Amino acid sequence: MGEKKNESLSGQVFRRLREDILNEVYQNHDELKELTLCEELGVSRTPVREALRQLALEGLVEIIPNKGAYVNSITAKDVEDIYQMRSLLEGLCAKMCCRHISQEKMEEMEENIYLAEFHAARGHSEQLAQLDSRFHEIMYESCDSKMLSHTLHDFHEYVMRARKKTLSDQKRSQQSNLEHRLIMEAIRDKDEERAEKLANQHVQNAYANIVKNGLKEVYH
């Protein structure tokens, strides 16, 4: 595996397997055989076992004693739960950003919105998905809470497939950009109450659009 700076081998295996599970490289209930994974990833059994234990803690793998490890995919109900929690936590994150965001991050957030508006007008869905992710990452990096940032990063990754689907809807992508702009302006103005309310509503709107565009076609 390619080495990632400051990350253990088991951490690299964990991230690779989590990404593959979330992207349905492995299907629900597929068995994750240690020896096969060792051969595919070019690692020993120890980092694979550690990665599988971590995935089990996150609920993405079920380890059955004396049988093996099996994929436990994200479901439509899981997505609903994640968005309900995200709506509250993103509101809190935006509120905290009003207090802690640096000038450098504020400028990056503004630039992100300008770029997103440019690509939205041209229907560039892949670039929009990247910019959408980065907008939220800037918030997570600027809230001055490593626990909140870690939780929101994980939630964001769990629903990546659903997010890509909703951002391919040009009408929604343009509305999402407008919502981002309003959140940015509230953070810039240090209006904590407005930033919290707008970020909370933004996540609720995103989920409503996912449902409208066929949530159960993406998650079963």
Side-chain angles (χ1 to χ4, degrees), residues 28-203:
N28 199 28
H29 306 308
D30 279 355
E31 182 178 4
L32 297 174
K33 297 180 180 179
E34 284 186 12
L35 186 57
T36 302
L37 293 174
C38 291
E39 292 173 350
E40 289 177 352
L41 301 175
V43 297
S44 66
R45 285 197 170 191
T46 298
V48 168
R49 285 174 179 168
E50 291 175 355
L52 290 174
R53 280 197 291 268
Q54 183 62 33
L55 288 165
L57 289 174
E58 295 206 356
L60 294 175
V61 164
E62 181 180 9
I63 297 177
I64 301 176
N66 303 317
K67 287 193 68 176
Y70 298 86
V71 173
N72 192 19
S73 297
I74 295 288
T75 66
K77 176 62 166 58
D78 294 331
V79 174
E80 179 183 6
D81 292 345
I82 286 169
Y83 269 88
Q84 287 182 350
M85 290 184 284
R86 267 192 67 199
S87 68
L88 297 173
L89 294 179
E90 294 246 358
L92 175 61
C93 183
K95 179 178 181 178
M96 295 172 71
C97 282
C98 291
R99 307 172 191 174
H100 301 293
I101 194 166
S102 67
Q103 183 60 34
E104 181 183 4
K105 291 294 186 186
M106 193 72 249
E107 290 172 359
E108 184 183 356
M109 185 177 282
E110 291 176 352
E111 182 181 9
N112 176 283
I113 289 166
Y114 293 135
L115 287 171
E117 289 171 347
F118 173 86
H119 288 294
R122 289 156 180 79
H124 299 164
S125 59
E126 185 173 340
Q127 290 90 338
L128 276 173
Q130 293 171 355
L131 288 164
D132 180 89
S133 289
R134 184 57 194 154
F135 178 86
H136 290 273
E137 286 169 2
I138 295 167
M139 285 179 52
Y140 306 160
E141 292 165 5
S142 303
C143 70
D144 195 37
S145 170
K146 65 181 181 181
M147 301 305 293
L148 180 58
S149 176
H150 176 75
T151 300
L152 285 170
H153 266 116
D154 283 348
F155 283 166
H156 214 53
E157 289 188 29
Y158 288 168
V159 295
M160 181 62 74
R161 281 189 294 127
R163 289 179 49 249
K164 285 182 176 178
K165 182 176 178 64
T166 190
L167 287 169
S168 65
D169 177 340
Q170 189 170 15
K171 184 177 179 181
R172 174 56 199 162
S173 67
Q174 291 175 342
Q175 180 61 33
S176 179
N177 287 342
L178 175 59
E179 291 168 11
H180 281 182
R181 173 173 285 281
L182 294 173
I183 293 167
M184 178 274 292
E185 290 172 350
I187 292 173
R188 184 188 61 198
D189 296 342
K190 301 190 182 304
D191 188 332
E192 295 182 12
E193 184 177 349
R194 182 158 58 98
E196 182 175 23
K197 182 178 179 180
L198 288 168
N200 180 294
Q201 189 62 52
H202 171 64
V203 176

Side-chain angles (χ1 to χ4, degrees), residues 1-30:
M1 294 186 66
E3 185 175 350
K4 187 174 180 179
K5 190 176 180 181
N6 298 326
E7 185 172 29
S8 67
L9 190 55
S10 62
Q12 293 176 54
V13 173
F14 162 72
R15 291 191 178 279
R16 167 69 180 276
L17 292 177
R18 181 168 72 167
E19 182 179 327
D20 285 347
I21 290 170
L22 294 175
N23 287 313
E24 293 192 311
V25 174
Y26 300 112
Q27 301 296 311
N28 199 28
H29 306 308
D30 279 355

